[in-house]
Amino acid sequence: MNTGLWMIGARGSVATTVIAGLAAVRRGRHDPVGCVTTLEPFRGVPLPDFDELLCGGHDIAGPDLVKRAEELVADGVLPAGLPSLIADDLEAANARIRPGTDGTSDDPASVIRGLTADLVEFRERNHLDTVVVVNLSSTEPPVSPHPAHASLAALRQALREPSVPGGDALLPASSLYAYAAFEAGCAYVDFTPSTGARLPALTELARLRAVPFTGSDGKTGETLVKSVLAPMFARRALRVRSWSGTNLLGGGDGATLEAPGPVNSKAASKALVVQSTLGHSVDGGVHIHNVPALGEWKTAWDHITFEGFLGARMSLQFTWQGCDSALAAPLVLDLARLMAAACRAGRSGPMTDLGFFFKDPVDGHEHVLERQFSDLVDWARGLRTAA
């Protein structure tokens, strides 16, 4: 194994599904359904095989992975009997999980050093040539601008200065992880709408360390459908007047998104595709509700009104029901493989052509799914040429 997949939130639902699914694929028990990189356009691209991926990560809490996997069986996410079959894999991965941070420390420089040391130790102990860090932790509130975010020199200076106890954090947890990833020479993927690497100072650091990053907010359900339907209205010259979405979900995400800060981050990323694709604003919005009884499953209901010839008013509705962990996990494996290949090809800075995977692509303005897929294939084929 020579590629590390280091997950932030490593005992969460998505990460546990990634680890369990990877073990099941390796053992030949299940096919990698949902993994985009197994499709024909990616054949010949120098991606690491599934059996070359080694999982580890950071987390601040949670049960061990065997217990977490059993909970996911009870919720209908993992197939019955799988945790006992892959118990050795789960226990080995659990031993590679280190204590993380919630971003509240008064000494962020020390936190960054500790996180960086964990990544370096993971790479060296396991003889890995590449490590990809993927943020799967809970959504954070939007970050208030800080002068130190503008440049790497300013950020480093601020990190050397003592923090004010109880004051606003200089960097949120997601950005501490991104800083550590870059310092350790690792690629970074933000699968959440949190700030992560999306600060000018951290973009500068990624380029300085010659490592790639991408994100943000994985596109797994309702927004995936929007990125197909919105272009249909635009190409058909039908004027969309309103687009309202209601999301019902439980589990950890449902609890996190009850808070105003995190829900604002999520709603903002989910709303981008419609206005960007249609070229004008529409009435409505995204509404997110915590329904604990749904557990790991979620339902999205969208109501769209549009106007046709001679002002005829019409509507379209769709309902999407799915398991977010089962939808997200194969994309995490795709991103780990693609970013590992990008590292080996010497790519650095923001990987804009991976927008296919995200609601709010870093430095990207294309939201039409088919165009995003074409960009992704062209980018991946470029890695094949560079190999």
Side-chain angles (χ1 to χ4, degrees), residues 81-287:
L82 183 60
S84 59
L85 178 68
I86 61 169
D88 290 347
D89 303 81
L90 294 172
E91 289 168 358
N94 196 68
R96 294 188 291 269
I97 298 174
R98 299 290 178 264
T101 180
D102 62 3
T104 59
S105 171
D106 290 334
D107 188 2
S110 177
V111 171
I112 291 169
R113 286 193 296 271
L115 299 176
T116 303
D118 289 339
L119 290 166
V120 172
E121 191 269 347
F122 174 62
R123 180 173 58 221
E124 293 180 352
R125 177 185 290 271
N126 296 289
H127 308 290
L128 305 169
D129 62 45
T130 307
V131 175
V132 179
V133 177
V134 182
N135 182 21
L136 300 172
S137 60
S138 297
T139 297
E140 299 168 345
V143 171
S144 300
H146 190 289
H149 296 163
S151 72
L152 183 57
L155 181 55
R156 284 179 166 166
Q157 178 60 39
L159 287 169
R160 286 192 289 267
E161 297 170 354
S163 298
V164 178
D168 292 337
L170 176 64
L171 293 173
S174 62
S175 297
L176 294 174
Y177 285 120
Y179 197 123
F182 298 154
E183 283 286 70
C186 304
Y188 181 84
V189 177
D190 227 327
F191 208 77
T192 81
S194 301
T195 302
R198 300 182 80 166
L199 296 173
L202 294 182
T203 298
E204 188 179 342
L205 179 59
R207 294 192 186 280
L208 179 67
R209 298 294 186 228
V211 290
F213 69 91
T214 195
S216 64
D217 203 4
K219 184 164 57 184
T220 58
E222 178 193 26
T223 309
L224 181 68
V225 179
K226 284 182 175 180
S227 65
V228 176
L229 284 180
M232 176 195 73
F233 288 108
R235 298 295 173 266
R236 187 60 181 78
L238 298 170
R239 183 173 179 82
V240 175
R241 301 182 63 87
S242 69
W243 196 315
S244 298
T246 297
N247 290 240
L248 311 177
L249 67 160
D253 274 354
T256 297
L257 295 175
E258 276 193 308
V263 79
N264 289 340
S265 294
K266 176 65 75 170
S269 69
K270 289 175 72 68
L272 285 172
V273 62
V274 171
Q275 182 167 335
S276 173
T277 303
L278 297 178
H280 60 85
S281 60
V282 298
D283 291 339
V286 178
H287 310 277

